[in-house]
Amino acid sequence: MIKKNLGLVIILSLTAGTAMAAPYAVSGDSIFRHISVLAHDSLEGREVGEIGEWKASQYISNVFKNAGLEPKGDNGTYLQSFEFTKKIVYGADNRLSANGTPLVLDEDFKPMHQSASTFFNFSEVVFVDFGITVDSSEGDYDDYRGKDVTGKAVLIKRYQPDSTVNPHIDFTKYGSFTDKINNAIDKGAAGIFFYTPPDQDDTIPSFGPTRVTPKEVPVVLLRRIGLERLGIDLNNPIIASLEGAI
């Protein structure tokens, strides 16, 4: 289950209003004053969707108004509302079994922000290594080559290949979760499951509130500890089935 909140973004026009008595002067003192206000502890970090963000938006709106800038936001203001995902709330029915063995939420697996809320039962799970397809103009590399993943779940290794193996390809351009998810969907995958190689960090960095749009397929991180408990070889993982609800 994904909880959505409304955020605010400052919108302005660079056209000065007719009521402006004198040009707005930018100085070292004015910049320091604005930073001091916006960085003050009372704004509590200005987290999106929280009172500190609202205070900051009101302060910036007043500065724009005093500068004579024409508002171009919602209802004649300097603000424009938008939806964003503040946090993921796991429902009581979140569950996952791999090879018929139940896994523990958070400890063994973690639904990702991009995941659909859905039921699934995959009897075919295709390991596609790093799940990367390089643009033909940059090199000849495709982890999906010769593999039919249409309607199936794919198991994808996080991060990217060792650059020494293909030194002429910049794999960092293809190694993000977003890139790999979009590539898997383009290839026809009906479920996307990530896992972390033995030599890499198995955590997912927290980026705070985000505007990630959920996909129409389940997207899940299989934690390394859970796979090891199942006796799965992380260098050549074989998973026969994945069943559950996200």
Side-chain angles (χ1 to χ4, degrees):
M1 172 182 171
I2 296 177
K3 181 178 180 180
K4 291 189 175 180
N5 299 74
L6 287 178
L8 300 171
V9 61
I10 301 293
I11 301 294
L12 67 146
S13 166
L14 295 179
T15 304
T18 56
M20 183 176 176
Y24 181 75
V26 177
S27 65
D29 287 342
S30 68
I31 292 173
F32 179 80
R33 184 172 63 253
H34 296 323
I35 292 175
S36 297
V37 172
L38 295 173
H40 195 271
D41 289 347
S42 63
L43 270 63
E44 302 175 328
R46 307 180 308 282
E47 182 178 347
V48 180
E50 299 295 335
I51 186 65
E53 182 215 22
W54 180 84
K55 291 178 180 178
S57 70
Q58 298 306 302
Y59 175 79
I60 296 172
S61 293
N62 285 331
V63 171
F64 287 170
K65 181 178 180 181
N66 292 335
L69 296 174
E70 182 182 351
K72 290 292 185 179
D74 297 339
N75 302 316
T77 69
Y78 296 99
L79 308 176
Q80 184 179 51
S81 62
F82 62 91
E83 285 192 345
F84 68 98
T85 301
K86 184 170 179 62
K87 63 178 179 179
I88 298 295
V89 179
Y90 296 138
D93 60 344
N94 270 269
R95 57 181 176 79
L96 176 63
S97 293
N99 296 342
T101 301
L103 302 180
V104 179
L105 180 63
D106 273 338
E107 183 178 340
D108 294 335
F109 75 97
K110 184 178 181 67
M112 298 181 64
H113 286 203
Q114 300 91 334
S115 181
S117 295
T118 184
F119 294 90
F120 54 87
N121 188 355
F122 296 110
S123 58
E124 290 188 75
V125 182
V126 183
F127 176 49
V128 293
D129 209 46
F130 289 97
I132 290 174
T133 301
V134 172
D135 188 278
S136 58
S137 64
E138 299 181 35
D140 182 22
Y141 184 97
D142 186 0
D143 284 323
Y144 288 86
R145 183 177 289 124
K147 299 174 183 177
D148 177 15
V149 301
T150 304
K152 305 171 186 176
V154 292
L155 181 61
I156 302 176
K157 218 179 335 186
R158 293 176 62 189
Y159 303 100
Q160 53 269 336
D162 186 344
S163 59
T164 60
V165 178
N166 293 274
H168 303 298
I169 299 176
D170 181 10
F171 286 109
T172 60
K173 297 169 56 177
Y174 304 93
S176 71
F177 282 121
T178 299
D179 291 328
K180 294 185 178 188
I181 290 169
N182 289 338
N183 191 34
I185 291 174
D186 287 344
K187 299 293 186 181
I192 303 170
F193 296 83
F194 288 97
Y195 84 96
T196 307
D199 58 342
Q200 298 285 355
D201 182 8
D202 197 26
T203 60
I204 297 180
S206 175
F207 299 104
T210 120
R211 296 188 69 182
V212 170
T213 301
K215 305 299 183 181
E216 296 182 354
V217 301
V219 183
V220 180
L221 172 66
L222 301 176
R223 293 215 180 268
R224 194 161 54 211
I225 187 173
L227 296 180
E228 290 173 340
R229 195 156 40 228
L230 292 174
I232 292 174
D233 181 0
L234 298 180
N235 293 310
N236 185 31
I238 298 176
I239 298 179
S241 64
L242 288 166
E243 185 273 329
I246 301 298

